[in-house]
Each structure stands twice: as structure tokens, then as C-alpha cells.
């Protein structure tokens, strides 16, 4: 893939347009991870088991808890995917900057 001014500009636009999306994805994942602890406590409190181990087993096997774990998986996947897309866009801009600087140096040397 050749990196030119157009692709560098597209990469910068991608970063600009998706900065808030990455922020939301990170916040969503963080919220779900924090809520997981609360959900575990809520489910343990509704269990009829007499031991803490039994309550925990009930809570962690509950469909609501499992669904929340699945939600965290999806949120983390979205966050990491977007993070690496952003990183790729940053690298594209950096490569363009380096190539441009190298070309200017070569042009000056040729004069």
C-alpha cells in the first residue's frame, strides 16, 4: 500500500471521526466490568443457597450473569478493534510524515 497525502488525510479524518467512538467503547466496557461485580452481588443475594460458595455458583451460572459476560466480550472486542484501527491510522500518518521529510532531504541534496 502506497501512502500518499490523500491516504494520510483519510487516516487523520478517521482518527478525528472515531475518537469519541473509541471513548464511548472504552467507557461502555469499563461500565460493564464494574456492573458485573454489582450483578454478582445482586444474584448472590437472591440465591436460596446457604453457603457463600453455593450463592456464588448460583450467581455465576445465572443467565443474566452469563449474558453480562457476553456483553463485556462484545464491548471489549469493539474497543480493541477500534483501538488498533486508530493505531494503524496514526502509523499511516507517521509514515507519510517520514517519507515527506525524506523526500525533502533528497530534494535539497539534489539542488
Amino acid at each position: 500500500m502506497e501512502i500518499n497525502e490523500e491516504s494520510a488525510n483519510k487516516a487523520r479524518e478517521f482518527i478525528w471521526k472515531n475518537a469519541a467512538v473509541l471513548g464511548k467503547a472504552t467507557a461502555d466496557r469499563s461500565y460493564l466490568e464494574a456492573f458485573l461485580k454489582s450483578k454478582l452481588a445482586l444474584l448472590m443475594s437472591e440465591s436460596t443457597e446457604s453457603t457463600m460458595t453455593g450463592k456464588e455458583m448460583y450467581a455465576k451460572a445465572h443467565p443474566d450473569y452469563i449474558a453480562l459476560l457476553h456483553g463485556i466480550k462484545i464491548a471489549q472486542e469493539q474497543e480493541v478493534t477500534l483501538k488498533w484501527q486508530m493505531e494503524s491510522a496514526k502509523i499511516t500518518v507517521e509514515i507519510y510524515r517520514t517519507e515527506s521529510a525524506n523526500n525533502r532531504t533528497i530534494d535539497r541534496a539534489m539542488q
Side-chain angles (χ1 to χ4, degrees):
M1 173 175 107
E2 184 178 329
I3 298 175
N4 54 29
E5 186 174 2
E6 181 183 352
S7 61
N9 286 334
K10 285 181 181 179
R12 281 195 301 267
E13 286 175 27
F14 177 83
I15 293 168
W16 180 256
K17 288 179 181 176
N18 288 286
V21 178
L22 178 58
K24 183 180 180 325
T26 301
D28 288 348
R29 185 217 15 99
S30 180
Y31 171 81
L32 288 172
E33 287 176 346
F35 181 64
L36 184 67
K37 295 172 188 170
S38 296
K39 189 64 174 178
L40 180 65
L42 290 168
L43 291 169
M44 285 176 73
S45 71
E46 72 180 40
S47 171
T48 58
E49 296 292 327
S50 58
T51 65
M52 288 303 288
T53 303
K55 289 178 182 291
E56 186 175 0
M57 287 175 58
Y58 166 83
K60 288 186 174 180
H62 195 281
D64 290 352
Y65 189 83
I66 293 169
L68 186 54
L69 287 174
H70 183 69
I72 290 170
K73 176 187 172 217
I74 291 169
Q76 189 167 30
E77 180 182 337
Q78 291 171 345
E79 177 190 11
V80 170
T81 298
L82 193 51
K83 175 187 169 220
W84 285 108
Q85 288 173 339
M86 295 285 264
E87 192 62 31
S88 176
K90 289 178 196 176
I91 290 168
T92 299
V93 171
E94 286 303 314
I95 290 170
Y96 176 72
R97 287 179 58 202
T98 301
E99 287 177 351
S100 295
N102 290 345
N103 289 339
R104 286 191 300 273
T105 302
I106 291 169
D107 288 346
R108 274 187 246 127
M110 299 296 258
Q111 293 177 356

